[in-house]
Amino acid sequence: MKYILGSIAIILAIGFVGFLLPAIAGIVIGIGMIKSGSIVGGLIAIIVGIGINIAMLYGSAAESGMSTGSGHHMSYTDEECPYCASGDTDGNHCYNCDDDF
């Protein structure tokens, strides 16, 4: 049991570090560049690393449907009827919620 829980914890930690890898790499490279005297290059490396991580977060939210422009998550089980998520349609009219789309 201890081995299984330890393995799960290690897998979760590796996944978390892997997800933050662009930011971690940007910060490490940025600190190295700042120590070597290139302050502007170091700051750019840090900003790029964190920017890539933010873009990854936004991309995953957009892919899952969480950024619809209205600010809330809209999940549909059936794309044919977006208002009530019903498959009971004739192609442009929902019979369950009696709306046209």
Side-chain angles (χ1 to χ4, degrees), residues 1-13:
M1 185 69 169
K2 202 185 249 190
Y3 175 75
I4 293 172
L5 291 176
S7 298
I8 291 172
I10 289 172
I11 290 170
L12 288 175

Side-chain angles (χ1 to χ4, degrees), residues 11-89:
I11 290 170
L12 288 175
I14 290 171
F16 185 70
V17 169
F19 182 72
L20 294 177
L21 193 61
I24 293 169
I27 291 170
V28 168
I29 291 169
I31 290 172
M33 290 179 77
I34 289 171
K35 285 184 179 179
S36 70
S38 178
I39 295 174
V40 176
L43 291 175
I44 290 173
I46 291 171
I47 291 170
V48 167
I50 293 173
I52 290 172
N53 236 147
I54 291 171
M56 286 173 50
L57 284 173
Y58 178 75
S60 65
E63 183 68 26
S64 69
M66 292 186 65
S67 61
T68 60
S70 60
H72 55 77
H73 178 65
M74 299 179 72
S75 176
Y76 305 123
T77 57
D78 189 358
E79 292 181 13
E80 289 184 20
C81 188
Y83 302 115
C84 58
S86 171
D88 192 15
T89 68

